[in-house]
Amino acid sequence: MPRYEFTACTPVDTQGSGTHLIFTYKSLSGDPGHERNIQIIDPDRSTMDEVHTQQLFTEVINFIKNYWEKSIQIPESNYEIHLSESPLLEGKEGPTPWQGFVLELE
């Protein structure tokens, strides 16, 4: 069962044209220590606070879980999720703190 720990959240300066975050995570099984990034871009909100960051992180987790269920692999490194193409999923769990979060895929 693959396990991944999220180790960083890096905002990208969009100069006021939305929110762009890069979440870094590493494998805790299989290839321990190998880091990957996944990016999420919200063009409709240019201010960022902790709650919004946690909401976006929840979307990242939901995306990775769905991707895994469909293809039995995780997205390639630097994969971009554009919320203009797939808006936030209403009614899903969250917000989720990202610091030290461990994702276990079945």
Side-chain angles (χ1 to χ4, degrees):
M1 182 173 347
R3 296 176 64 222
Y4 299 93
E5 178 182 15
F6 286 80
T7 58
C9 174
T10 308
V12 176
D13 184 7
T14 61
Q15 299 181 356
S17 63
T19 300
H20 184 164
L21 299 173
I22 300 173
F23 289 98
T24 303
Y25 59 101
K26 66 181 179 181
S27 175
L28 297 176
S29 56
D31 187 10
H34 179 73
E35 289 192 339
R36 291 177 174 248
N37 295 317
I38 189 162
Q39 303 179 47
I40 188 160
I41 301 163
D42 182 358
D44 297 328
R45 184 161 175 186
S46 59
T47 59
M48 185 174 47
D49 57 30
E50 191 60 30
V51 172
H52 186 58
T53 299
Q54 291 176 2
Q55 289 170 332
L56 293 177
F57 180 65
T58 301
E59 291 305 310
V60 166
I61 294 303
N62 289 335
F63 178 84
I64 292 173
K65 285 178 179 177
N66 288 335
Y67 196 98
W68 175 261
E69 287 175 11
K70 291 178 183 172
S71 60
I72 312 299
Q73 64 184 7
I74 59 172
E76 73 242 16
S77 193
N78 292 315
Y79 192 93
E80 292 184 358
I81 303 167
H82 294 267
L83 291 183
S84 60
E85 297 166 9
S86 61
L88 288 170
L89 302 171
E90 296 298 326
K92 291 287 185 178
E93 66 222 35
T96 307
W98 66 267
Q99 296 94 338
F101 183 88
V102 175
L103 174 62
E104 295 187 27
L105 299 171
E106 298 179 23

